[in-house]
Amino acid sequence: MKRITVFCGSSFGTDSIYKKQATALGRALAKNGIELVYGGANVGLMGAVADGVLDEGGKAIGVLPHFLQSKEIAHAGLTELILVETMHERKTKMNELCDGVIALPGGFGTLEEFFEMLTWGQLGLHKKPIAILNIDGFYDSLKILIQAMVDKGFLKPVNQEMLLVSDNIEELLTKMSEYTAPEVGKWISKKTT
């Protein structure tokens, strides 16, 4: 993996562990020679992961829509900042630039971006590893919901297994480097007439 997209919050959350781990992830990416692709801001966990990469001499590429420049203030120290018009263009560009995705804690935007990439993988539009760094159990409830999707027949177990989860950065990066995309389609059943 040469580049990983990280989706995460534009705030720090309520616990200092989130910022600490975001910075640690950035440092680990740089130490492993992996470039960061992310939302381009210098605020919250977004800024922390970029700072971690840059502090270790790594490369950080930001993708930021013009209309968010005043809210998510662009990080001044990036290797490259790509400005786009829309949120959809942002996600498309981030997908084009990366070899895998990691989600850190965040809100609606983080989940929306993350699930779109996961869905694209499920549909076979890419074969990239999609992962969650489950800092301090932040995503435990999501794991329960995803299991309910399987149990109630809305998600195949093979598609559930596409989601790589760990609370350990190095373990997560190893899982991502060893990932092989499933060969089956997403549909539970096809109605025939």
Side-chain angles (χ1 to χ4, degrees):
M1 290 182 298
K2 294 179 182 177
R3 290 181 179 159
I4 289 180
T5 287
V6 175
F7 296 127
C8 58
S10 58
S11 63
F12 288 117
T14 58
D15 194 320
S16 62
I17 187 129
Y18 302 135
K19 179 181 179 183
K20 180 180 176 186
Q21 286 296 95
T23 303
L25 174 62
R27 289 181 184 278
L29 292 177
K31 286 178 182 176
N32 284 284
I34 300 169
E35 296 178 7
L36 169 68
V37 177
Y38 85 115
N42 70 353
V43 295
L45 299 186
M46 294 172 74
V49 71
D51 288 342
V53 168
L54 296 168
D55 288 348
E56 288 293 328
K59 293 184 178 179
I61 301 165
V63 183
L64 186 66
H66 289 286
F67 78 93
L68 282 181
Q69 274 186 286
S70 62
K71 294 178 177 71
E72 294 180 0
I73 302 163
H75 196 297
L78 297 179
T79 309
E80 182 180 0
L81 178 64
I82 300 168
L83 293 171
V84 295
E85 293 302 318
T86 67
M87 294 295 283
H88 186 71
E89 285 179 46
R90 181 192 220 182
K91 288 180 290 188
T92 300
K93 178 57 75 176
M94 292 169 91
N95 175 49
E96 289 170 1
L97 292 172
C98 79
D99 304 307
V101 172
I102 296 175
L104 300 179
F108 287 154
T110 300
L111 289 177
E112 186 272 332
E113 293 166 330
F114 175 75
F115 271 112
E116 184 154 5
M117 287 293 292
L118 187 58
T119 301
W120 289 352
Q122 182 185 28
L123 293 171
L125 299 176
H126 69 72
K127 296 187 178 294
K128 301 172 185 181
I130 308 294
I132 286 175
L133 182 59
N134 192 22
I135 301 170
D136 198 32
F138 183 84
Y139 283 108
D140 287 353
S141 297
L142 180 62
K143 288 169 54 181
I144 292 168
L145 175 61
I146 291 171
Q147 185 60 54
M149 292 174 185
V150 173
D151 295 344
K152 301 199 182 286
F154 291 100
L155 184 68
K156 288 182 179 180
V158 69
N159 294 129
Q160 177 186 27
E161 291 168 10
M162 291 172 57
L163 180 55
L164 308 175
V165 182
S166 179
D167 62 358
N168 179 282
I169 293 168
E170 290 302 328
E171 179 181 79
L172 194 64
L173 292 175
T174 298
K175 285 182 177 186
M176 292 178 76
S177 68
E178 295 173 352
Y179 175 76
T180 302
E183 296 297 324
V184 299
K186 80 160 213 77
W187 289 270
I188 298 294
S189 63
K190 290 184 180 179
K191 189 174 183 180
T192 57
T193 54

